[in-house]
Amino acid sequence: MGGGGQQTEPAEPGSGKASGVYTWEEVQKHCSRNDQWLVVNRKVYNITQWAKRHPGGSRVIGHYAGEDATEAFTAFHPDRKFVQKFLKPLLVGELAVTEPSQDRKKNAAIIKDFETLRTQVEKEELFKAKPLFFCLHLGHILLLEALAWLMVTYWGTSWTMTLLCALMLATSQSQAGWLQHDFGHLSVFKKSKWNHLVHKFVIGHLKGASANWWNHRHFQHHAKPNLLKKDPDVNMLAFFVLGKTQPVEYGIKKIKHMPYNHQHKYFFLVGPPLLIPIYFHMQIMNTMITRRDWVDLAWSLSYYFRYFCCYSPLYGFLGSFALMMFVRFLESHWFVWVTQMNHIPMEIEYEENQDWLTMQLQATCNIEQSLFNDWFSGHLNFQIEHHLFPMMPRHNYHLVAPQVRAMCEKHGVPYEIKSLWRGMADVVSSLKTSGELWLDAYLHK
Protein backbone atom coordinates (compact mmCIF):
# COMPACT_ATOMS: atom_id res chain seq x y z
CA MET A 1 0.00 0.00 0.00
CA GLY A 2 1.54 3.28 -1.10
CA GLY A 3 0.93 6.79 0.16
CA GLY A 4 -2.27 8.61 -0.78
CA GLY A 5 -4.21 5.35 -0.98
CA GLN A 6 -2.46 4.17 -4.16
CA GLN A 7 -1.95 0.42 -4.59
CA THR A 8 1.63 -0.48 -5.46
CA GLU A 9 3.42 -3.74 -6.12
CA PRO A 10 6.69 -4.11 -4.19
CA ALA A 11 9.76 -4.60 -6.35
CA GLU A 12 11.53 -7.94 -6.38
CA PRO A 13 14.53 -8.08 -4.02
CA GLY A 14 17.61 -6.82 -5.83
CA SER A 15 15.70 -5.52 -8.85
CA GLY A 16 16.67 -1.92 -8.10
CA LYS A 17 13.31 -0.70 -9.41
CA ALA A 18 11.51 1.87 -7.29
CA SER A 19 7.94 0.72 -7.93
CA GLY A 20 6.00 2.88 -5.54
CA VAL A 21 5.61 4.94 -2.43
CA TYR A 22 5.04 3.56 1.05
CA THR A 23 3.78 4.59 4.43
CA TRP A 24 5.71 3.96 7.62
CA GLU A 25 3.06 1.40 8.52
CA GLU A 26 3.92 -0.60 5.41
CA VAL A 27 7.68 -0.35 5.98
CA GLN A 28 7.34 -1.44 9.61
CA LYS A 29 5.72 -4.72 8.53
CA HIS A 30 9.03 -5.81 6.96
CA CYS A 31 10.99 -6.44 10.13
CA SER A 32 11.33 -10.23 10.32
CA ARG A 33 14.50 -12.19 9.75
CA ASN A 34 13.35 -13.27 6.28
CA ASP A 35 11.77 -9.98 5.25
CA GLN A 36 13.76 -6.82 5.96
CA TRP A 37 13.18 -3.31 4.66
CA LEU A 38 14.71 -0.10 5.94
CA VAL A 39 14.70 3.59 5.08
CA VAL A 40 17.68 5.85 4.37
CA ASN A 41 17.01 9.49 3.46
CA ARG A 42 13.36 8.66 2.70
CA LYS A 43 14.35 5.92 0.22
CA VAL A 44 13.00 2.43 0.97
CA TYR A 45 15.36 -0.52 0.51
CA ASN A 46 14.78 -4.26 0.62
CA ILE A 47 17.90 -5.64 2.34
CA THR A 48 16.58 -9.18 2.94
CA GLN A 49 19.04 -11.00 0.69
CA TRP A 50 21.90 -8.52 0.82
CA ALA A 51 22.12 -8.37 4.64
CA LYS A 52 24.21 -11.56 4.68
CA ARG A 53 26.84 -9.79 2.56
CA HIS A 54 26.88 -6.63 4.66
CA PRO A 55 30.53 -5.95 5.65
CA GLY A 56 29.49 -5.06 9.21
CA GLY A 57 27.50 -8.28 9.59
CA SER A 58 23.86 -9.15 9.00
CA ARG A 59 22.76 -8.48 12.56
CA VAL A 60 23.74 -4.82 12.80
CA ILE A 61 21.83 -3.89 9.65
CA GLY A 62 19.00 -6.25 10.58
CA HIS A 63 18.49 -4.36 13.83
CA TYR A 64 17.14 -1.50 11.71
CA ALA A 65 14.67 -3.61 9.73
CA GLY A 66 11.34 -1.80 9.52
CA GLU A 67 12.92 1.48 10.69
CA ASP A 68 14.55 4.66 9.53
CA ALA A 69 18.29 3.95 9.46
CA THR A 70 19.43 7.35 8.14
CA GLU A 71 21.28 8.49 11.27
CA ALA A 72 23.02 5.14 11.78
CA PHE A 73 23.94 5.00 8.08
CA THR A 74 25.53 8.44 8.34
CA ALA A 75 27.35 7.59 11.57
CA PHE A 76 29.02 4.41 10.31
CA HIS A 77 29.95 5.13 6.66
CA PRO A 78 32.79 7.55 5.87
CA ASP A 79 32.20 7.47 2.09
CA ARG A 80 28.43 7.51 1.74
CA LYS A 81 28.52 8.08 -2.02
CA PHE A 82 30.54 4.88 -2.43
CA VAL A 83 28.04 2.92 -0.32
CA GLN A 84 25.13 4.23 -2.39
CA LYS A 85 26.14 2.03 -5.31
CA PHE A 86 25.42 -1.01 -3.14
CA LEU A 87 22.09 0.41 -2.04
CA LYS A 88 20.86 1.32 -5.51
CA PRO A 89 19.99 -2.26 -6.61
CA LEU A 90 18.07 -2.73 -3.33
CA LEU A 91 15.78 0.27 -3.87
CA VAL A 92 12.07 -0.61 -3.85
CA GLY A 93 10.53 2.83 -3.48
CA GLU A 94 10.30 5.85 -1.27
CA LEU A 95 8.20 7.27 1.52
CA ALA A 96 4.96 8.98 0.57
CA VAL A 97 5.14 12.77 0.58
CA THR A 98 2.53 12.75 3.34
CA GLU A 99 4.84 10.72 5.60
CA PRO A 100 7.32 12.38 8.01
CA SER A 101 11.03 11.71 7.49
CA GLN A 102 11.34 10.19 10.96
CA ASP A 103 9.42 7.19 12.27
CA ARG A 104 7.68 6.43 15.58
CA LYS A 105 8.93 8.29 18.66
CA LYS A 106 11.90 9.98 17.02
CA ASN A 107 12.15 13.70 17.72
CA ALA A 108 12.25 15.69 14.46
CA ALA A 109 13.73 18.80 16.11
CA ILE A 110 16.58 16.83 17.70
CA ILE A 111 17.29 15.04 14.43
CA LYS A 112 17.47 18.35 12.55
CA ASP A 113 19.71 19.99 15.14
CA PHE A 114 22.02 16.98 15.30
CA GLU A 115 22.34 16.98 11.51
CA THR A 116 23.30 20.65 11.71
CA LEU A 117 25.85 19.88 14.41
CA ARG A 118 27.36 17.09 12.31
CA THR A 119 27.70 19.45 9.34
CA GLN A 120 29.39 22.03 11.55
CA VAL A 121 31.77 19.44 13.01
CA GLU A 122 32.71 18.30 9.51
CA LYS A 123 33.46 21.90 8.49
CA GLU A 124 35.68 22.28 11.56
CA GLU A 125 37.59 19.16 10.37
CA LEU A 126 37.04 17.32 13.64
CA PHE A 127 36.86 14.06 11.69
CA LYS A 128 40.44 14.62 10.54
CA ALA A 129 42.99 12.50 12.40
CA LYS A 130 46.45 13.56 13.59
CA PRO A 131 48.88 10.86 12.36
CA LEU A 132 51.50 11.75 14.99
CA PHE A 133 49.03 11.04 17.82
CA PHE A 134 48.41 7.48 16.64
CA CYS A 135 52.07 6.87 15.75
CA LEU A 136 53.11 7.84 19.28
CA HIS A 137 50.38 5.67 20.75
CA LEU A 138 51.53 2.66 18.72
CA GLY A 139 55.12 3.49 19.64
CA HIS A 140 54.48 3.39 23.38
CA ILE A 141 52.72 0.02 22.98
CA LEU A 142 55.66 -1.49 21.10
CA LEU A 143 58.09 0.05 23.59
CA LEU A 144 56.29 -1.58 26.53
CA GLU A 145 56.30 -4.95 24.75
CA ALA A 146 60.04 -4.68 24.05
CA LEU A 147 60.97 -3.48 27.54
CA ALA A 148 58.95 -6.26 29.19
CA TRP A 149 60.86 -8.92 27.22
CA LEU A 150 64.26 -7.26 27.61
CA MET A 151 63.76 -6.93 31.37
CA VAL A 152 63.25 -10.65 32.00
CA THR A 153 65.85 -11.58 29.39
CA TYR A 154 68.68 -9.61 31.00
CA TRP A 155 67.59 -9.41 34.64
CA GLY A 156 66.14 -12.87 35.06
CA THR A 157 62.76 -14.44 35.69
CA SER A 158 62.43 -13.90 39.42
CA TRP A 159 58.95 -13.37 40.85
CA THR A 160 59.55 -9.63 41.04
CA MET A 161 60.74 -9.34 37.44
CA THR A 162 57.93 -11.60 36.25
CA LEU A 163 55.32 -9.49 38.00
CA LEU A 164 56.74 -6.29 36.51
CA CYS A 165 56.82 -7.97 33.10
CA ALA A 166 53.16 -8.97 33.47
CA LEU A 167 52.15 -5.45 34.47
CA MET A 168 53.94 -3.97 31.47
CA LEU A 169 52.41 -6.52 29.10
CA ALA A 170 48.94 -5.95 30.56
CA THR A 171 49.36 -2.21 30.03
CA SER A 172 50.54 -2.80 26.49
CA GLN A 173 47.62 -5.14 25.76
CA SER A 174 45.08 -2.71 27.20
CA GLN A 175 46.45 0.21 25.21
CA ALA A 176 46.55 -1.95 22.07
CA GLY A 177 42.88 -2.65 22.74
CA TRP A 178 42.10 1.05 22.63
CA LEU A 179 44.24 1.48 19.50
CA GLN A 180 42.55 -1.33 17.58
CA HIS A 181 39.27 0.32 18.55
CA ASP A 182 40.43 3.46 16.70
CA PHE A 183 41.21 1.61 13.49
CA GLY A 184 38.10 -0.56 13.77
CA HIS A 185 36.00 2.61 13.78
CA LEU A 186 37.78 3.90 10.65
CA SER A 187 38.87 6.99 12.53
CA VAL A 188 42.57 7.16 11.58
CA PHE A 189 43.04 6.98 7.79
CA LYS A 190 40.89 8.61 5.13
CA LYS A 191 40.69 5.38 3.15
CA SER A 192 38.79 2.55 4.84
CA LYS A 193 41.06 -0.15 3.41
CA TRP A 194 44.07 1.22 5.34
CA ASN A 195 42.07 1.33 8.56
CA HIS A 196 40.97 -2.29 7.98
CA LEU A 197 44.53 -3.44 7.25
CA VAL A 198 46.12 -1.82 10.31
CA HIS A 199 43.15 -2.96 12.41
CA LYS A 200 43.98 -6.56 11.52
CA PHE A 201 47.61 -5.99 12.46
CA VAL A 202 46.85 -4.41 15.84
CA ILE A 203 44.02 -6.68 16.98
CA GLY A 204 45.48 -9.77 15.32
CA HIS A 205 49.26 -9.61 15.60
CA LEU A 206 49.50 -7.48 18.74
CA LYS A 207 46.56 -9.02 20.61
CA GLY A 208 45.77 -12.42 19.06
CA ALA A 209 42.12 -11.59 18.40
CA SER A 210 39.91 -11.23 15.31
CA ALA A 211 39.01 -8.01 13.48
CA ASN A 212 35.85 -9.46 11.94
CA TRP A 213 34.68 -10.87 15.28
CA TRP A 214 35.15 -7.41 16.83
CA ASN A 215 33.43 -5.59 13.96
CA HIS A 216 30.35 -7.80 13.93
CA ARG A 217 29.99 -7.60 17.71
CA HIS A 218 30.97 -4.01 18.43
CA PHE A 219 28.93 -2.27 15.74
CA GLN A 220 25.77 -3.92 17.06
CA HIS A 221 26.57 -2.28 20.38
CA HIS A 222 26.95 1.11 18.73
CA ALA A 223 23.85 0.74 16.56
CA LYS A 224 21.57 -0.22 19.46
CA PRO A 225 23.38 0.46 22.76
CA ASN A 226 21.92 -1.07 25.92
CA LEU A 227 18.94 -2.50 24.04
CA LEU A 228 18.07 -6.01 25.15
CA LYS A 229 18.18 -8.65 22.38
CA LYS A 230 20.10 -6.23 20.12
CA ASP A 231 23.22 -5.08 21.98
CA PRO A 232 25.50 -8.10 22.61
CA ASP A 233 27.22 -6.20 25.43
CA VAL A 234 24.10 -6.53 27.60
CA ASN A 235 23.64 -10.20 26.76
CA MET A 236 24.94 -11.63 30.02
CA LEU A 237 24.12 -15.29 29.25
CA ALA A 238 21.91 -15.45 32.36
CA PHE A 239 24.84 -14.69 34.68
CA PHE A 240 23.47 -11.22 35.45
CA VAL A 241 20.21 -9.29 35.13
CA LEU A 242 20.52 -5.66 34.09
CA GLY A 243 18.44 -2.52 34.25
CA LYS A 244 14.94 -2.32 35.67
CA THR A 245 12.89 -4.35 33.17
CA GLN A 246 14.87 -7.58 32.76
CA PRO A 247 15.15 -8.33 36.52
CA VAL A 248 11.39 -8.04 36.98
CA GLU A 249 10.74 -10.24 33.94
CA TYR A 250 13.07 -12.92 35.27
CA GLY A 251 11.52 -12.66 38.71
CA ILE A 252 7.92 -12.97 37.49
CA LYS A 253 8.88 -15.99 35.37
CA LYS A 254 10.70 -17.50 38.39
CA ILE A 255 13.96 -17.69 36.47
CA LYS A 256 16.85 -18.32 38.83
CA HIS A 257 19.92 -19.39 36.90
CA MET A 258 21.98 -17.52 39.48
CA PRO A 259 21.28 -15.92 42.88
CA TYR A 260 20.83 -12.52 41.23
CA ASN A 261 20.30 -10.72 44.52
CA HIS A 262 24.00 -11.43 45.13
CA GLN A 263 25.20 -10.55 41.61
CA HIS A 264 26.96 -7.40 42.81
CA LYS A 265 29.17 -9.71 44.88
CA TYR A 266 29.91 -12.55 42.45
CA PHE A 267 30.50 -9.98 39.69
CA PHE A 268 34.02 -9.62 41.14
CA LEU A 269 34.59 -13.35 40.61
CA VAL A 270 33.10 -14.00 37.16
CA GLY A 271 33.04 -10.56 35.49
CA PRO A 272 36.38 -8.74 35.40
CA PRO A 273 38.58 -11.83 35.93
CA LEU A 274 37.08 -14.09 33.25
CA LEU A 275 35.72 -11.98 30.38
CA ILE A 276 38.88 -11.74 28.26
CA PRO A 277 40.91 -14.85 29.24
CA ILE A 278 37.95 -17.25 29.10
CA TYR A 279 34.78 -15.99 27.42
CA PHE A 280 36.22 -13.70 24.74
CA HIS A 281 39.07 -16.10 23.97
CA MET A 282 36.71 -19.04 23.43
CA GLN A 283 34.25 -16.94 21.43
CA ILE A 284 36.97 -15.50 19.18
CA MET A 285 38.49 -18.88 18.36
CA ASN A 286 35.09 -20.46 17.78
CA THR A 287 34.03 -17.59 15.50
CA MET A 288 37.16 -17.70 13.34
CA ILE A 289 37.01 -21.46 12.91
CA THR A 290 33.26 -21.89 12.36
CA ARG A 291 33.14 -18.97 9.91
CA ARG A 292 36.34 -20.17 8.23
CA ASP A 293 37.91 -16.78 8.67
CA TRP A 294 41.39 -17.97 7.77
CA VAL A 295 42.84 -14.47 7.31
CA ASP A 296 41.96 -13.40 10.83
CA LEU A 297 43.09 -16.79 12.16
CA ALA A 298 46.48 -16.32 10.51
CA TRP A 299 46.86 -12.88 12.07
CA SER A 300 45.85 -14.29 15.45
CA LEU A 301 48.28 -17.21 15.23
CA SER A 302 51.09 -14.79 14.36
CA TYR A 303 50.63 -13.26 17.82
CA TYR A 304 50.91 -16.63 19.56
CA PHE A 305 53.92 -17.61 17.45
CA ARG A 306 55.73 -14.38 18.33
CA TYR A 307 54.79 -14.58 22.00
CA PHE A 308 55.88 -18.16 22.57
CA CYS A 309 59.09 -17.67 20.58
CA CYS A 310 59.97 -14.82 22.94
CA TYR A 311 58.94 -16.31 26.27
CA SER A 312 59.20 -20.12 25.97
CA PRO A 313 63.05 -20.02 26.14
CA LEU A 314 62.69 -18.10 29.42
CA TYR A 315 59.73 -19.79 31.11
CA GLY A 316 59.10 -22.96 29.12
CA PHE A 317 55.82 -23.54 27.30
CA LEU A 318 53.63 -24.01 30.38
CA GLY A 319 55.24 -21.11 32.21
CA SER A 320 54.77 -18.87 29.18
CA PHE A 321 51.13 -19.94 28.91
CA ALA A 322 50.58 -19.17 32.60
CA LEU A 323 52.19 -15.73 32.15
CA MET A 324 49.96 -15.00 29.15
CA MET A 325 46.81 -15.96 31.06
CA PHE A 326 47.85 -13.81 34.02
CA VAL A 327 48.41 -10.86 31.68
CA ARG A 328 44.94 -11.37 30.20
CA PHE A 329 43.52 -11.68 33.71
CA LEU A 330 44.95 -8.24 34.53
CA GLU A 331 43.90 -6.76 31.19
CA SER A 332 40.38 -8.11 31.64
CA HIS A 333 39.91 -6.14 34.86
CA TRP A 334 41.09 -2.98 33.13
CA PHE A 335 38.82 -3.55 30.13
CA VAL A 336 35.67 -4.46 32.07
CA TRP A 337 35.73 -1.52 34.46
CA VAL A 338 36.45 1.04 31.72
CA THR A 339 33.83 -0.24 29.28
CA GLN A 340 31.06 -1.04 31.76
CA MET A 341 31.11 2.10 33.90
CA ASN A 342 29.81 4.04 30.88
CA HIS A 343 26.90 1.69 30.21
CA ILE A 344 25.73 -0.70 32.95
CA PRO A 345 24.52 2.08 35.29
CA MET A 346 22.54 3.67 32.44
CA GLU A 347 19.12 2.77 31.06
CA ILE A 348 18.87 -0.80 29.75
CA GLU A 349 15.59 -1.54 28.00
CA TYR A 350 14.01 -3.15 24.94
CA GLU A 351 13.82 -1.31 21.62
CA GLU A 352 12.15 2.09 21.99
CA ASN A 353 12.71 3.42 18.43
CA GLN A 354 14.26 6.70 19.46
CA ASP A 355 16.34 9.20 17.53
CA TRP A 356 20.11 8.76 17.47
CA LEU A 357 21.03 11.39 20.07
CA THR A 358 18.35 10.39 22.59
CA MET A 359 19.12 6.68 22.24
CA GLN A 360 22.86 7.17 22.70
CA LEU A 361 22.55 9.59 25.65
CA GLN A 362 20.21 7.27 27.55
CA ALA A 363 22.74 4.45 27.22
CA THR A 364 26.01 6.30 27.86
CA CYS A 365 27.69 8.66 30.29
CA ASN A 366 31.06 10.39 30.44
CA ILE A 367 33.91 10.23 32.94
CA GLU A 368 35.73 13.41 33.93
CA GLN A 369 38.57 14.49 31.69
CA SER A 370 42.18 14.36 32.88
CA LEU A 371 45.43 13.26 31.26
CA PHE A 372 45.30 10.02 33.24
CA ASN A 373 41.62 9.32 32.50
CA ASP A 374 42.17 10.01 28.80
CA TRP A 375 45.09 7.57 28.65
CA PHE A 376 43.64 4.97 31.01
CA SER A 377 40.35 4.72 29.11
CA GLY A 378 41.61 5.31 25.59
CA HIS A 379 39.53 8.52 25.61
CA LEU A 380 36.40 6.44 26.19
CA ASN A 381 35.79 8.71 29.14
CA PHE A 382 34.16 10.74 26.34
CA GLN A 383 31.77 7.87 25.71
CA ILE A 384 28.90 10.17 24.75
CA GLU A 385 30.83 11.92 21.99
CA HIS A 386 32.27 8.60 20.81
CA HIS A 387 28.80 7.07 20.48
CA LEU A 388 27.39 10.10 18.69
CA PHE A 389 30.36 10.33 16.30
CA PRO A 390 31.95 6.84 16.18
CA MET A 391 34.27 7.74 13.28
CA MET A 392 35.70 10.82 14.99
CA PRO A 393 39.38 10.55 16.04
CA ARG A 394 39.44 10.34 19.81
CA HIS A 395 41.81 13.28 20.25
CA ASN A 396 38.96 15.55 19.08
CA TYR A 397 36.25 14.38 21.50
CA HIS A 398 37.00 17.15 23.97
CA LEU A 399 36.56 19.74 21.21
CA VAL A 400 33.05 18.63 20.25
CA ALA A 401 31.93 17.90 23.83
CA PRO A 402 30.81 21.49 24.68
CA GLN A 403 28.65 21.63 21.54
CA VAL A 404 27.07 18.28 22.33
CA ARG A 405 26.39 19.33 25.90
CA ALA A 406 24.77 22.58 24.76
CA MET A 407 22.53 20.70 22.36
CA CYS A 408 21.48 18.28 25.10
CA GLU A 409 20.62 21.17 27.40
CA LYS A 410 18.56 22.79 24.65
CA HIS A 411 16.43 19.67 24.19
CA GLY A 412 16.31 18.55 27.82
CA VAL A 413 18.35 15.38 27.21
CA PRO A 414 20.41 14.41 30.32
CA TYR A 415 24.18 14.66 29.78
CA GLU A 416 25.87 12.83 32.64
CA ILE A 417 29.50 13.20 33.77
CA LYS A 418 31.02 11.26 36.69
CA SER A 419 34.35 10.87 38.41
CA LEU A 420 36.32 7.73 37.59
CA TRP A 421 35.65 6.22 41.01
CA ARG A 422 31.96 7.15 40.93
CA GLY A 423 31.64 5.44 37.56
CA MET A 424 33.18 2.23 38.87
CA ALA A 425 31.10 2.30 42.06
CA ASP A 426 27.92 2.79 40.04
CA VAL A 427 28.55 -0.49 38.21
CA VAL A 428 28.32 -2.35 41.51
CA SER A 429 25.40 -0.33 42.88
CA SER A 430 23.39 -0.78 39.68
CA LEU A 431 23.95 -4.55 39.78
CA LYS A 432 22.80 -4.52 43.41
CA THR A 433 19.65 -2.55 42.53
CA SER A 434 18.80 -4.88 39.63
CA GLY A 435 19.34 -7.89 41.88
CA GLU A 436 16.95 -6.47 44.47
CA LEU A 437 14.30 -5.86 41.79
CA TRP A 438 14.65 -9.48 40.70
CA LEU A 439 14.32 -10.81 44.26
CA ASP A 440 11.23 -8.72 44.93
CA ALA A 441 9.55 -9.93 41.73
CA TYR A 442 10.65 -13.52 42.34
CA LEU A 443 9.17 -13.62 45.84
CA HIS A 444 6.09 -11.42 45.51
CA LYS A 445 4.88 -11.30 41.89
Side-chain angles (χ1 to χ4, degrees):
M1 179 71 70
Q6 296 179 334
Q7 295 285 339
T8 58
E9 291 295 329
E12 291 296 320
S15 68
K17 296 179 180 180
S19 63
V21 291
Y22 302 96
T23 64
W24 277 115
E25 183 180 2
E26 172 63 22
V27 173
Q28 289 161 6
K29 292 177 182 177
H30 301 272
C31 61
S32 66
R33 186 174 183 179
N34 298 316
D35 180 18
Q36 299 182 337
W37 289 14
L38 55 72
V39 176
V40 176
N41 293 319
R42 298 188 63 86
K43 302 294 184 181
V44 182
Y45 300 94
N46 184 341
I47 61 166
T48 307
Q49 300 301 322
W50 188 80
K52 296 178 182 178
R53 304 196 301 274
H54 182 237
S58 61
R59 290 184 179 180
V60 65
I61 194 172
H63 290 333
Y64 276 90
E67 297 182 31
D68 177 40
T70 304
E71 291 188 291
F73 176 81
T74 303
F76 295 136
H77 299 96
D79 189 348
R80 293 184 284 280
K81 291 183 179 179
F82 173 77
V83 180
Q84 282 292 341
K85 74 177 186 180
F86 296 97
L87 284 177
K88 189 175 181 179
L90 311 178
L91 184 67
V92 295
E94 61 184 15
L95 290 174
V97 294
T98 55
E99 291 291 298
S101 295
Q102 68 284 345
D103 58 329
R104 309 193 203 200
K105 296 193 298 181
K106 295 175 181 176
N107 188 310
I110 291 180
I111 291 174
K112 182 179 179 180
D113 280 358
F114 185 71
E115 184 178 351
T116 301
L117 175 59
R118 169 176 281 279
T119 301
Q120 180 181 341
V121 166
E122 289 174 347
K123 288 181 179 178
E124 294 173 0
E125 297 189 331
L126 295 185
F127 284 97
K128 186 176 182 180
K130 297 178 181 177
L132 181 61
F133 174 90
F134 294 102
C135 286
L136 290 175
H137 195 78
L138 176 60
H140 103 287
I141 291 168
L142 298 177
L143 180 63
L144 284 168
E145 291 270 348
L147 289 176
W149 179 76
L150 288 171
M151 184 173 62
V152 291
T153 298
Y154 289 98
W155 293 338
T157 56
S158 66
W159 283 106
T160 301
M161 289 296 104
T162 299
L163 179 60
L164 288 174
C165 174
L167 291 172
M168 293 174 72
L169 289 176
T171 301
S172 172
Q173 285 293 296
S174 295
Q175 292 299 321
W178 308 144
L179 185 62
Q180 68 82 23
H181 181 263
D182 297 317
F183 290 104
H185 274 294
L186 312 179
S187 64
V188 182
F189 296 108
K190 288 184 179 179
K191 291 187 176 294
S192 295
K193 67 178 182 179
W194 287 108
N195 283 300
H196 290 309
L197 179 60
V198 182
H199 186 217
K200 287 187 180 294
F201 167 76
V202 177
I203 197 173
H205 184 68
L206 296 185
K207 292 189 63 61
S210 162
N212 287 333
W213 166 83
W214 183 89
N215 283 333
H216 291 184
R217 178 187 176 92
H218 192 66
F219 281 106
Q220 289 184 74
H221 162 69
H222 271 270
K224 296 290 185 178
N226 280 20
L227 293 184
L228 298 167
K229 295 187 176 180
K230 291 191 174 182
D231 180 359
D233 285 7
V234 294
N235 176 15
M236 296 295 174
L237 302 176
F239 278 100
F240 303 97
V241 288
L242 303 177
K244 297 178 180 179
T245 299
Q246 188 185 56
V248 176
E249 284 186 349
Y250 272 47
I252 292 174
K253 295 177 181 179
K254 309 306 177 187
I255 298 174
K256 188 182 180 181
H257 298 301
M258 299 287 285
Y260 297 119
N261 53 310
H262 296 293
Q263 64 178 7
H264 61 291
K265 301 173 185 175
Y266 66 73
F267 170 76
F268 292 93
L269 300 176
V270 301
L274 303 182
L275 182 66
I276 289 180
I278 304 299
Y279 177 63
F280 273 4
H281 180 70
M282 293 175 62
Q283 190 182 64
I284 289 167
M285 289 300 172
N286 179 66
T287 299
M288 289 190 295
I289 294 171
T290 56
R291 293 182 180 175
R292 299 182 179 181
D293 192 349
W294 308 129
V295 173
D296 275 14
L297 183 61
W299 277 109
S300 177
L301 291 177
S302 74
Y303 161 80
Y304 291 101
F305 179 78
R306 172 177 60 84
Y307 173 83
F308 283 108
C309 281
C310 288
Y311 288 96
S312 288
L314 300 170
Y315 291 97
F317 178 78
L318 291 179
S320 298
F321 179 78
L323 175 62
M324 180 181 69
M325 293 303 290
F326 181 57
V327 168
R328 288 186 169 172
F329 167 84
L330 296 175
E331 179 201 359
S332 189
H333 283 79
W334 191 330
F335 174 82
V336 169
W337 288 109
V338 168
T339 58
Q340 299 312 304
M341 64 184 176
N342 298 113
H343 293 298
I344 282 184
M346 306 304 290
E347 185 174 311
I348 300 175
E349 285 290 346
Y350 289 100
E351 177 66 76
E352 296 181 331
N353 299 106
Q354 294 176 313
D355 56 85
W356 184 256
L357 182 134
T358 302
M359 176 179 67
Q360 301 294 348
L361 267 291
Q362 286 185 352
T364 59
C365 67
N366 279 2
I367 302 299
E368 294 174 346
Q369 183 186 21
S370 70
L371 288 175
F372 175 78
N373 287 354
D374 291 351
W375 173 83
F376 181 73
S377 68
H379 288 83
L380 294 181
N381 49 328
F382 288 96
Q383 191 75 212
I384 292 172
E385 288 69 30
H386 171 57
H387 266 255
L388 291 176
F389 304 104
M391 293 187 298
M392 180 178 288
R394 58 163 134 150
H395 51 68
N396 287 336
Y397 292 158
H398 73 285
L399 298 176
V400 75
Q403 300 173 67
V404 171
R405 191 168 187 174
M407 182 178 170
C408 289
E409 290 177 356
K410 175 183 176 181
H411 292 282
V413 178
Y415 182 103
E416 192 169 355
I417 305 176
K418 305 175 182 179
S419 69
L420 181 64
W421 302 115
R422 181 74 264 165
M424 292 181 177
D426 282 354
V427 172
V428 180
S429 62
S430 64
L431 287 173
K432 186 174 186 292
T433 300
S434 296
E436 290 170 349
L437 288 171
W438 168 82
L439 183 62
D440 179 67
Y442 186 85
L443 294 176
H444 307 298
K445 296 182 181 180

